[in-house]
Structure formats: C-alpha cells, structure tokens
C-alpha cells in the first residue's frame, strides 16, 4: 500500500528543491486544473500518455495538499466511507441522493 502522507512530503520537497511554486495557492489550483485538462485531452485523443497525465494530476493534488497542511490520505478515506453510506435513486437518468450527508 502506498503512503500518501509520505508522497505528499516527497512531492513538496521536490518542488522546493527544483524551485517550483509553494506559496501561491491559486496558481497551484490553476496548474492542477491544467493537468486535468491535459489528461482529458489525452483521453479524448486516445494518446498513449493518459496514465502519465493522470499521474500529473495526482502529483499536483498531493503537492497542494502538503502546502495547505491537509492529510489527503485521511481525507480520501473519510470521503470514501461517507460516499459508501450514501443512498441514491435514479430519476430521469440522474442519481439523486436520498440519504447520507
């Protein structure tokens, strides 16, 4: 199993070492959005580098979480548990939540 907390630290340390941004939060969100856009483009164009583009998205998210002091592993596990407890019904082809937070 991968330790996301350690990966966060590793991503952050590499950003510092390489002189990348670690202070402008808005810029990091923009970079993350850009990487997600690149992954979508790779998917739509059936490019071979889709996996690498998805990895870029995760790397930026890990770095952003570390900059913000958020334990992303803990947040992901909490969110998965929350989602598993939710119940939905389908109405007109759309999932509508009927229970859970």
């Amino acid at each position: 199993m991968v330790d996301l907390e350690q990966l966060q630290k590793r991503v952050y340390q590499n950003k510092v070492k390489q002189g990348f941004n670690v202070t402008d939060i808005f810029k990091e969100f923009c970079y993350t959005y850009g990487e997600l856009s690149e992954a979508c483009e790779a998917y739509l164009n059936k490019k071979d580098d889709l996996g690498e583009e998805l990895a870029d998205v995760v790397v930026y998210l890990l770095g952003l979480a570390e900059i913000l002091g958020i334990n992303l592993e803990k947040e992901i596990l909490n969110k998965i548990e929350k989602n598993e407890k939710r119940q939905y019904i389908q109405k007109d082809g759309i999932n509508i939540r009927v229970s859970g937070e």
Side-chain angles (χ1 to χ4, degrees), residues 12 15-16 19-28 31 67:
Y12 179 82
K15 288 173 81 62
V16 170
F20 292 120
N21 173 60
V22 292
T23 57
D24 188 335
I25 303 305
F26 180 74
K27 187 182 284 188
E28 287 300 299
Y31 289 152
I67 291 167

Side-chain angles (χ1 to χ4, degrees), residues 3-4 6 9 15 17 28 32 40-41 45 48 51 57 62-64 71 79 85 89:
D3 183 339
L4 288 184
Q6 288 302 315
K9 293 179 185 334
K15 288 173 81 62
K17 177 183 167 192
E28 287 300 299
T32 304
C40 182
E41 181 182 338
N45 294 312
D48 291 337
V57 174
L62 289 169
L64 186 56
N71 181 331
K79 186 62 177 184
K85 291 177 182 175
I89 61 168

Side-chain angles (χ1 to χ4, degrees), residues 9-71:
K9 293 179 185 334
R10 189 171 166 190
V11 167
Y12 179 82
Q13 290 166 353
N14 187 58
K15 288 173 81 62
V16 170
K17 177 183 167 192
Q18 301 295 343
F20 292 120
N21 173 60
V22 292
T23 57
D24 188 335
I25 303 305
F26 180 74
K27 187 182 284 188
E28 287 300 299
F29 274 108
C30 290
Y31 289 152
T32 304
Y33 178 83
E35 293 299 337
L36 185 58
S37 177
E38 289 179 14
C40 182
E41 181 182 338
Y43 170 75
L44 291 174
N45 294 312
K46 297 177 177 34
K47 293 183 176 178
D48 291 337
D49 65 343
L50 175 57
E52 184 175 349
E53 295 299 344
L54 288 173
D56 285 342
V57 174
V58 173
V59 167
Y60 269 93
L61 285 174
L62 289 169
L64 186 56
E66 186 65 18
I67 291 167
L68 294 170
I70 294 170
N71 181 331

